[in-house]
Amino acid sequence: MIPKLHSASRMTLTLITASLLGACSSSANPPLAPLGEEKKTKTEVLEAGAAMLQTDSPLEPMNIYLDGFHASKEDPVHQMEAHHFCRQVNQDFAQCVLFDGNTRQANLIGIEYIISEALFESLPEKEKKYWHPHNYEILSGQLVAPGIPGAAETELMEGKMNSYGKTWHVWNSAPFGATGDRMPLGEPTLEWSFNRDGEDMPGLVDQRDQRMGISTSEKRRQRAELKALAKPQSGVDALKGKFPRPTRDLPGVVDKKAASLK
């Protein structure tokens, strides 16, 4: 999920790297603890030994931290915050593990793959229905990289414009406004992005902003310049009309099919 830093100065790159590799700006503890007994001393000793000896881990490069929101594609009022820890595999492809918090106690709740517009367009048509668009998440200010200065974060988001994500949740641990499950139950759920103002449930974004000291509205203002980069995307209208509240379009966020009919 690291963007193309075409014109980024070395100082900007340093700011991004230092912020992402450092501690999270605000702790978000998981909402519940899984069922099961406390760890035994033997287990903790084995973990400590593994940490010292098994150092070549695929998790180590997953040091890009992003925070955003998902809605179930089947049931759009089922919404939750998701903490993404990502690795940029190459310029067009990234992979993320998703948690319900950003502390050591957080529960693993899913995965997300991120691809560029070019890779998305190379997919078979029947596959594209699984991939949600990202422009609203970026332009609305809802997708954030905690701890990064505003200018550097805007530059980070620039490289994500017009990208797509394929997200599966495997644990309903932190649904907004409801009690989560203490075990990963049932089938995986395909998640979607918000694509209009008013699709998110009242309080969902505000709760995150208050806890992390973030202003989504300010980030929206800072990212207004990115609107010029936005192209019509597939999937913007996939959930149109399926939310209980009235919604409003955000300039720059346009469904590709609808745009082709104009």
Side-chain angles (χ1 to χ4, degrees), residues 75-88:
D75 181 16
V77 296
H78 187 276
Q79 304 176 5
M80 66 178 65
E81 181 181 356
H83 301 263
H84 306 54
F85 292 85
C86 308
R87 171 199 169 206
Q88 190 73 30

Side-chain angles (χ1 to χ4, degrees), residues 4 6 92 115-121 132-139 157-164 195 223-237 250-260 262:
K4 300 176 183 178
H6 314 284
D92 294 286
I115 59 174
S116 66
E117 178 189 20
L119 284 187
F120 176 80
E121 293 302 336
H132 62 261
H134 282 150
N135 283 354
Y136 177 85
E137 293 189 73
I138 297 167
L139 294 176
M157 295 298 167
E158 178 181 345
K160 300 170 70 60
M161 289 295 297
N162 305 309
S163 66
Y164 292 83
N195 289 285
R223 298 175 190 176
E225 62 192 62
L226 300 181
K227 184 176 68 173
L229 303 176
K231 300 178 183 179
Q233 289 196 286
S234 296
V236 169
D237 286 350
L250 179 65
V253 181
V254 179
D255 188 86
K256 191 171 185 179
K257 188 177 294 185
S260 67
K262 292 182 178 179

Side-chain angles (χ1 to χ4, degrees), residues 180-214:
D181 301 326
R182 294 190 66 190
M183 291 288 288
L185 306 175
E187 297 180 354
T189 302
L190 180 66
E191 300 296 315
W192 212 250
S193 54
F194 297 134
N195 289 285
R196 286 175 173 81
D197 291 342
E199 292 184 348
D200 53 296
M201 294 176 65
L204 175 67
V205 179
D206 290 343
Q207 183 186 76
R208 188 276 307 273
D209 286 3
Q210 291 172 9
R211 186 181 66 250
M212 291 192 163
I214 290 170

